[in-house]
């Protein structure tokens, strides 16, 4: 809260990655965009990947991405941390290493300059932890505060990860627990105290750098970070780009403490309903999956974890490395031959 007594979350209609455009609307817009073909553009937006990759001709690819959103917490420093961690994540999801960043800041005049400084400080500290240089940025006046980064990095093309590489028999590993959208919605409604939402904020400021580094020496085939389109939405994108079906065992999915309780109370962000409307027809949820758990599977995540497809023989090694780092990683399913739905959820 700033000196005016205004809470950041009071100024926004939607928070974090739940503020994304509805996936159905976005897909229609992207379908109509003109495209300039270039063989050196190895990854664009065709398969809903996390970042673009441009071949530099020396075995490396240039990786670029951007992400920004309104606050889901009232602490400006914490908001800056979350927004930066979320934006940086896309480069790690491609198997790359972020190097440079530009700040993107929208800010209302009703808040004091010290709040701006705290947001930028939070972002800078996360970039410093990531080994990323903040080289500048851009700011505008806006009635809603928003913050994020434009990020540039590099990837060894031989180690490039994309949505479309999952293979039949691969294990699916989720590196973070789900529930950020539900818990921050409950907190904004003042039905969850600071201690209750801390599990979400602690997860949101954890860099996916560590999940990416834990893959060294393993043979991951595909990866994506789980953000606003939920585990189900990003799972559909991976399955469809790979030509497989992802089979998710719901009880194995790590879920944040009290997320299912809050979901059962109806504290569901609007983005979860948009995700279910768009991706639901492509997801086969078994009838015995409880509704509160199903809602969490469609919950828009802010700075969520990585969803990684890798050989089943390497799954336990990867999960073990992540748990040593304190992350609640788990094997949540497998890739199976394409049959009907993109994602199948079982109990």
């Amino acid at each position: 809260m700033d000196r005016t007594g205004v809470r950041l979350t009071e100024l926004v209609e939607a928070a974090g990655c739940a503020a994304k455009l509805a996936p159905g609307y976005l897909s229609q817009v992207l379908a109509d965009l003109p495209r300039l073909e270039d063989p050196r553009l190895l990854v664009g937006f065709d398969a809903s990947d996390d970042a673009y990759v441009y071949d530099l001709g020396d075995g490396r690819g240039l990786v670029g991405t951007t992400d920004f959103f309104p606050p889901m917490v009232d602490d400006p420093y914490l908001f800056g941390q979350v927004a930066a961690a979320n934006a940086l994540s896309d480069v790690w999801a491609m198997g790359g290493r972020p190097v440079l960043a530009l700040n993107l800041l929208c800010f209302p005049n009703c808040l004091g300059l010290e709040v701006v400084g705290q947001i930028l400080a939070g972002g800078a500290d996360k970039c410093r932890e990531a080994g990323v240089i903040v080289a500048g940025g851009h700011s505008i006046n806006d009635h809603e505060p928003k913050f994020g980064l434009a990020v540039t990095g590099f990837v060894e093309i031989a180690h490039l990860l994309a949505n479309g590489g999952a293979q039949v028999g691969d294990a699916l590993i989720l590196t973070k627990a789900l529930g950020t959208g539900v818990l921050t919605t409950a907190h904004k409604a003042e039905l969850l105290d600071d201690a209750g939402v801390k599990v979400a904020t602690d997860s949101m400021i954890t860099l996916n750098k560590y999940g990416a580094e834990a893959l060294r020496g393993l043979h991951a085939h595909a990866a994506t970070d789980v953000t606003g389109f939920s585990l189900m939405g990003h799972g559909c994108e991976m399955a469809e780009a790979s030509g497989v079906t992802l089979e998710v065992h719901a009880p194995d999915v790590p879920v944040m403490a009290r997320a299912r309780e809050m979901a059962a109370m109806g504290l569901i962000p609007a983005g979860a309903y948009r995700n279910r409307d768009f991706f639901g027809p492509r997801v086969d949820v078994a009838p015995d999956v409880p509704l509160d758990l199903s809602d969490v599977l469609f919950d828009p995540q802010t700075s969520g974890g990585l969803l990684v497809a890798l050989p089943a023989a390497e799954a336990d090694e990867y999960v073990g490395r992540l748990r040593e780092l304190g992350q609640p990683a788990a094997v949540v399913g497998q890739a199976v031959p394409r049959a009907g739905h993109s994602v199948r959820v079982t109990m």
Side-chain angles (χ1 to χ4, degrees):
M1 187 178 297
D2 83 313
R3 59 180 172 80
T4 67
V6 177
R7 296 172 58 192
L8 289 180
T9 55
E10 288 179 342
L11 299 173
V12 303
E13 294 182 6
C17 285
K20 282 186 174 183
L21 287 176
Y25 179 82
L26 183 60
S27 67
Q28 292 178 29
V29 172
L30 295 178
D32 294 333
L33 288 180
R35 307 190 185 197
L36 179 62
E37 300 296 332
D38 186 333
R40 296 178 71 176
L41 182 64
L42 303 180
V43 179
F45 59 78
D46 293 348
S48 302
D49 268 296
D50 299 292
Y52 73 74
V53 179
Y54 189 81
D55 189 351
L56 295 174
D58 60 0
R60 296 179 304 152
L62 181 71
V63 186
T65 185
T66 187
D67 210 322
F68 67 103
F69 46 53
M72 72 305 297
V73 293
D74 290 313
D75 184 315
Y77 178 80
L78 180 59
F79 170 47
Q81 288 185 298
V82 173
N86 180 76
L88 294 166
S89 179
D90 287 342
V91 179
W92 289 308
M94 303 299 296
R97 177 176 63 90
V99 176
L100 296 165
L102 298 173
N103 288 320
L104 301 173
L105 177 69
C106 304
F107 206 73
N109 292 326
C110 67
L111 296 177
L113 288 178
E114 67 273 19
V115 179
V116 177
Q118 291 173 44
I119 292 172
L120 294 178
D125 283 351
K126 275 296 144 182
C127 286
R128 188 177 300 112
E129 180 184 345
V132 170
I133 299 169
V134 179
H138 183 65
S139 62
I140 62 170
N141 287 322
D142 192 355
H143 69 282
E144 281 194 356
K146 304 175 185 72
F147 177 64
L149 304 172
V151 186
T152 302
F154 299 96
V155 63
E156 297 296 326
I157 292 175
H159 299 131
L160 171 65
L161 293 174
N163 271 351
Q167 300 178 15
V168 171
D170 279 350
L172 304 173
I173 290 82
L174 184 62
T175 65
K176 291 185 183 181
L178 301 181
T180 65
V182 169
L183 292 182
T184 54
T185 297
H187 187 251
K188 184 178 180 180
E190 300 184 347
L191 294 172
L192 187 67
D193 60 16
D194 290 345
V197 80
K198 189 175 185 298
V199 64
T201 55
D202 284 350
S203 177
M204 290 188 290
I205 64 173
T206 299
L207 296 177
N208 278 326
K209 168 185 178 180
Y210 307 110
E213 289 177 344
L215 281 170
R216 289 176 182 168
L218 303 179
H219 301 87
H221 295 140
T224 187
D225 61 339
V226 178
T227 54
F229 292 159
S230 76
L231 176 62
M232 294 294 93
H234 291 290
C236 283
E237 292 173 344
M238 179 181 286
E240 290 156 13
S242 303
V244 300
T245 290
L246 301 189
E247 191 172 81
V248 174
H249 189 225
D252 292 337
V253 176
V255 175
M256 294 176 181
R258 302 196 68 186
R260 290 186 61 179
E261 175 191 348
M262 295 297 107
M265 292 171 60
L267 294 164
I268 311 295
Y273 295 109
R274 293 195 294 268
N275 287 338
R276 191 183 285 275
D277 287 345
F278 184 69
F279 294 109
R282 293 136 71 181
V283 177
D284 178 23
V285 180
D288 56 344
V289 176
L291 179 59
D292 60 283
L293 179 53
S294 175
D295 283 336
V296 172
L297 297 180
F298 283 97
D299 184 36
Q301 301 303 286
T302 298
S303 191
L306 300 177
L307 177 65
V308 179
L310 83 173
E314 297 181 348
D316 288 344
E317 173 65 22
Y318 184 46
V319 169
R321 292 179 184 182
L322 290 167
R323 289 186 176 175
E324 285 181 4
L325 297 172
Q327 294 199 23
V331 178
V332 299
Q334 61 184 336
V336 299
R338 182 75 181 180
H341 293 83
S342 298
V343 177
R344 190 160 58 239
V345 182
T346 66
M347 276 300 286

